[in-house]
Amino acid sequence: MSLKFSVLASGSTGNALFVGTEKQKFLVDAGLSGKKLEELLAKAHIDPKEIDGLLVTHEHSDHIKGLGIFARRYKLPIYANEKTWQAMERSIGEIPLEQKFHFDMESVKTFHDLDVESFGVSHDAAEPMFYVFHHEGKKLSLATDLGYVSERIKGTIRDSDMLIFEANHDINMLMMGRYPWNVKRRILGDMGHVSNEDAAVALADIIGEKTKRIYLAHLSKDNNMKDLARLSVQQSLEQNGFSVGEQFDLYDTDPTTPTLLTKI
């Protein structure tokens, strides 16, 4: 019995995460086309027919693009909070009533052998929330689309065995890039995204003795690079006394290639 996961896709072009146990399997977000989601699941050696449900973090298109199609195709229940349901219903098409479920922010639901805990984040969506997965003493946390990382969020995800955490942009690349100022201001604001630098500062307060793997996620395709994000975070953590590669490892995520299906 183990908790398994694969970051199927992560980035500004689309996001999806597979999390599962022997008895319960979820797709968190479906921010790519139905066809692309099936291709990514196949690459990760996951049968979409084994998925039991869909968890939604928020209504932005890079998180729900294929949600309606995938749910209808495989007759899957969708879980989201009320404000997210209201915000995304026009975008995902008609969903049968028996497939629509509410999952309140700051609550815990138990699905067979998997406990799922939701927590709110600061982001420019209706009521964005992310998830912590608990199974037999193991803990996997997903936290992206963070305007900033509050003490409450740190406490919720602290000492996770595995952590999928946002490192969206390099501040210098963003400031020198082609985005108009209003977009840059949104990204840098308290309801935008976390930079490489801020990610490292937050992770220094989140990493615990149990933490073994950290996946840097939701990288901007225009304002970041994998090597830059990883090196920036690693250098900052090592300056704070952490031993990357010994205490824990840092991993990349990708918008088109899933991470290896990993057991906790």
Side-chain angles (χ1 to χ4, degrees):
M1 300 284 284
S2 59
L3 183 61
K4 298 179 180 179
F5 72 96
S6 171
V7 183
L8 298 173
S10 184
S12 49
T13 56
N15 297 272
L17 168 70
F18 170 82
V19 181
T21 64
E22 185 177 326
K23 297 182 179 180
Q24 185 70 34
K25 297 172 177 62
F26 278 116
L27 200 61
V28 185
D29 288 340
L32 305 98
S33 69
K35 180 180 179 181
K36 187 62 179 176
L37 287 167
E38 289 174 339
E39 291 174 357
L40 291 167
L41 287 164
K43 286 181 182 179
H45 306 290
I46 299 164
D47 184 349
K49 294 178 182 177
E50 293 184 354
I51 294 173
D52 301 301
L54 297 159
L55 297 170
V56 181
T57 62
H58 62 295
E59 74 277 8
H60 289 170
S61 62
D62 59 325
H63 294 262
I64 65 162
K65 181 178 180 180
L67 182 68
I69 294 169
F70 201 84
R72 287 186 290 272
R73 183 172 297 166
Y74 294 99
K75 297 180 172 57
L76 295 173
I78 300 174
Y79 298 86
N81 62 51
E82 184 174 356
K83 288 184 179 179
T84 298
W85 268 114
Q86 292 171 356
M88 72 179 180
E89 279 193 296
R90 289 185 180 180
S91 301
I92 64 175
E94 187 172 351
I95 302 295
L97 187 61
E98 62 269 20
Q99 290 176 238
K100 298 171 69 172
F101 293 85
H102 283 92
F103 195 144
D104 293 333
M105 183 188 290
E106 312 294 346
S107 66
V108 178
K109 284 186 179 290
T110 299
F111 302 89
H112 300 293
D113 58 349
L114 182 64
D115 294 329
V116 185
E117 177 182 4
S118 65
F119 62 94
V121 302
S122 177
H123 192 56
D124 57 352
E127 194 168 76
M129 68 183 192
F130 282 77
Y131 300 98
V132 181
F133 300 88
H134 302 270
H135 172 72
E136 295 187 346
K138 300 295 186 181
K139 180 178 177 181
L140 167 67
S141 296
L142 171 66
T144 67
D145 298 78
L146 301 160
Y148 68 98
V149 188
S150 67
E151 292 302 317
R152 177 181 52 79
I153 291 174
K154 290 178 185 177
T156 300
I157 66 178
R158 183 170 285 129
D159 204 21
S160 298
D161 296 87
M162 306 285 172
L163 183 62
I164 302 160
F165 197 81
E166 179 169 58
N168 177 258
H169 57 277
D170 173 79
I171 293 175
N172 289 329
M173 284 185 68
L174 175 64
M175 295 306 294
M176 297 295 290
R178 61 180 177 82
Y179 286 9
W181 172 242
N182 65 311
V183 176
K184 293 177 181 179
R185 185 169 55 191
R186 171 199 169 256
I187 293 169
L188 292 168
D190 283 349
M191 298 184 74
H193 291 278
V194 168
S195 68
N196 298 338
E197 297 86 345
D198 288 342
V201 171
L203 285 168
D205 286 337
I206 293 167
I207 294 165
E209 291 184 2
K210 291 171 58 180
T211 306
K212 299 303 177 191
R213 289 179 176 232
I214 299 169
Y215 292 77
L216 301 179
H218 213 300
L219 273 67
S220 167
K221 68 175 182 177
D222 294 316
N223 301 305
N224 213 349
M225 295 181 288
K226 290 180 188 178
D227 289 346
L228 178 59
R230 189 175 355 95
L231 287 171
S232 296
V233 172
Q234 179 173 338
Q235 288 174 0
S236 179
L237 288 173
E238 288 177 345
Q239 288 170 3
N240 278 282
F242 292 95
S243 181
V244 179
E246 294 183 14
Q247 290 175 268
F248 55 86
D249 292 303
L250 292 175
Y251 291 85
D252 300 325
T253 59
D254 191 88
T256 60
T257 303
T259 64
L260 290 175
L261 186 60
T262 300
K263 295 181 181 180
I264 303 180

